[in-house]
Amino acid sequence: MANLVSTWSKITQTLPENYIFPVHQRPGSTHVPLCKNIPIIDLSKSQTQTVQQIGHACQEFGFFQVINHGVSEALIDDTMKVVQDFFNLPDDEKEKLFSIDPTNRRQFPTKSCKLFTSGSDYANEDVHYWRDNLRHPCHPLDEWAHSWPEKPAEYRDIVGKYSLEVRALSLRLLELIREGLGLKPGYFGEELTRGQLMSINHYPRCPDPTLTLGLRKHVDPNLITLLSQGSVYGLQVFKDGQWLGVEPMPHAFVVNIGFQLQIISNGKLKSAEHRAVTNSREDRTTIVSFINPCPDTVIEPAKSTLDTSIPLFKPFIYKDFLKTYEQNKGDIEAMMEVYKIKP
């Protein structure tokens, strides 16, 4: 258990060398302004208005926040509490799920419930992330819930209800995106949305947040991501050549457009580059739900999104893309080099 940051960071006063990022990647002491014009979309408004707002947000920002989304505030609060309680369990309880086997992580979504530390391949990383990460598949719920943590006792019940609600919201948002793109009804069916992975990030208080990261700059590899970031700031988005902070909104969800939606839309929608920073005052816990295609799904620009029938991206199989994603550490420019059709 010595690998878990949440265990040993409680007694350290200095940042270990293998958690210090290169100068060009670390956040440093430069002030990052809060983004004042992040789209906040009220899902209780008319569908026509909502489709237009989401379309603009996906094209301009690649992310937005949603309110009045139908997931109860009590359920969001209960879920945040139970996942925080998990990370406060005694070490021997967490040890039952702990793994440093990279093969478990590269199968995205993972095949079972695992607790990791740092990034995608701890044993071979030059620099580690200042985080611990619990992840597990959750759709269909009856196939996976039995493998989730047994403690806290209410974990499976609360997180199960939450995963169902968040999945339903994700599919609702995809339907609104589908309408905005002019795709045929049912386009985002089971093949593109079968996988759902819950990823719970725990970023302990850090002795020097200027030198390390909770997560480096990356885009999400999946279709669509819903993030509940609690009340502690730490999410930053890269837009127009600068980092901007995303201030937490109580009970809102941050919605990230995954790389697969950028491909399907033939570049009309953008996948937002983002990172997680740490702080020296308090722990931060976030709950992330990823919606993923089936591993053997072919991803390519949808025909109705093509201008003059010219696709910008090559077709690929999702499971093959994940290998490229890992190799390039989520760097969108590197992945564009692989998949963009060159003139």
Side-chain angles (χ1 to χ4, degrees):
M1 289 302 292
N3 283 326
L4 282 179
V5 180
S6 55
T7 297
W8 56 259
S9 65
K10 297 173 184 177
I11 57 173
T12 187
Q13 301 298 317
T14 59
L15 200 65
E17 287 291 328
N18 57 352
Y19 284 84
I20 297 177
F21 275 78
V23 173
H24 68 281
Q25 292 182 5
R26 67 181 65 159
S29 56
T30 304
H31 172 69
V32 172
L34 293 175
C35 186
K36 299 297 185 183
N37 57 344
I38 292 174
I40 300 171
I41 297 174
D42 185 343
L43 293 185
S44 68
K45 302 297 184 183
S46 74
Q47 181 155 321
T48 300
Q49 179 183 356
T50 303
V51 167
Q52 292 174 344
Q53 289 177 337
I54 289 178
H56 173 74
C58 293
Q59 293 176 49
E60 176 66 19
F61 290 86
F63 73 102
F64 52 93
Q65 298 202 63
V66 290
I67 59 174
N68 293 323
H69 41 64
V71 182
S72 79
E73 294 183 359
L75 180 58
I76 294 171
D77 290 341
D78 288 346
T79 306
M80 183 60 71
K81 181 180 184 304
V82 80
V83 299
Q84 289 172 337
D85 288 345
F86 170 82
F87 282 102
N88 288 325
L89 288 172
D91 290 348
D92 59 348
E93 285 295 331
K94 290 183 284 189
E95 189 172 6
K96 296 175 183 177
L97 296 171
F98 182 69
S99 174
I100 59 169
D101 181 359
T103 59
N104 285 316
R105 289 186 248 202
R106 287 179 178 154
Q107 294 171 0
F108 195 96
T110 183
K111 298 298 184 184
S112 60
C113 181
K114 294 291 182 181
L115 175 63
F116 301 109
T117 192
S118 187
S120 61
D121 188 357
Y122 181 89
N124 296 310
E125 291 170 354
D126 294 326
V127 185
H128 303 312
Y129 297 132
W130 193 263
R131 72 153 186 177
D132 295 328
N133 174 245
L134 175 70
R135 62 178 62 185
H136 53 70
C138 44
H139 178 76
L141 187 61
D142 57 2
E143 290 185 14
W144 297 112
H146 69 276
S147 69
W148 296 358
E150 296 180 358
K151 294 183 181 179
E154 62 274 23
Y155 184 97
R156 294 179 181 178
D157 178 54
I158 292 174
V159 177
K161 292 175 182 175
Y162 178 85
S163 69
L164 291 172
E165 292 290 322
V166 172
R167 179 176 177 82
L169 175 58
S170 300
L171 298 182
R172 178 184 174 192
L173 291 168
L174 284 170
E175 177 62 17
L176 295 169
I177 290 170
R178 178 206 64 76
E179 185 174 338
L181 288 173
L183 301 175
K184 63 181 181 181
Y187 184 89
F188 293 112
E190 183 77 357
E191 188 177 21
L192 283 170
T193 62
R194 168 76 176 184
Q196 183 184 6
L197 180 72
M198 198 69 68
S199 179
I200 300 150
N201 296 307
H202 183 69
Y203 308 99
R205 285 168 286 184
C206 179
D208 193 343
T210 68
L211 299 178
T212 193
L213 285 167
L215 281 172
R216 76 172 79 214
K217 183 171 77 169
H218 67 285
V219 295
D220 288 345
N222 55 307
L223 195 67
I224 192 170
T225 303
L226 264 64
L227 164 71
S228 176
Q229 62 171 336
S231 59
V232 182
Y233 166 75
L235 174 63
Q236 296 180 347
V237 174
F238 195 68
K239 186 179 186 303
D240 299 329
Q242 68 171 328
W243 285 108
L244 299 170
V246 181
E247 189 172 15
M249 287 185 62
H251 305 111
F253 287 101
V254 177
V255 182
N256 280 338
I257 299 305
F259 190 76
Q260 307 313 308
L261 271 180
Q262 183 162 331
I263 300 296
I264 289 168
S265 70
N266 203 38
K268 289 183 171 65
L269 310 185
K270 62 186 294 185
S271 187
E273 295 179 288
H274 55 286
R275 69 182 182 185
V277 296
T278 62
N279 75 84
S280 59
R281 300 175 304 279
E282 55 189 326
D283 296 350
R284 177 174 181 255
T285 304
T286 64
I287 308 169
V288 190
S289 172
F290 297 103
I291 298 297
N292 313 294
C294 295
D296 293 319
T297 302
V298 176
I299 306 294
E300 61 185 332
K303 289 182 173 57
S304 59
T305 67
L306 302 182
D307 295 324
T308 65
S309 300
I310 300 176
L312 298 179
F313 303 98
K314 307 170 188 175
F316 55 81
I317 297 174
Y318 183 60
K319 66 182 179 184
D320 294 337
F321 164 80
L322 293 178
K323 298 174 184 176
T324 304
Y325 180 87
E326 289 288 344
Q327 291 166 0
N328 291 285
K329 299 180 172 61
D331 184 304
I332 193 167
E333 292 182 6
M335 290 186 294
M336 287 290 192
E337 282 296 309
V338 176
Y339 295 110
K340 196 161 187 176
I341 297 175
K342 297 175 177 60

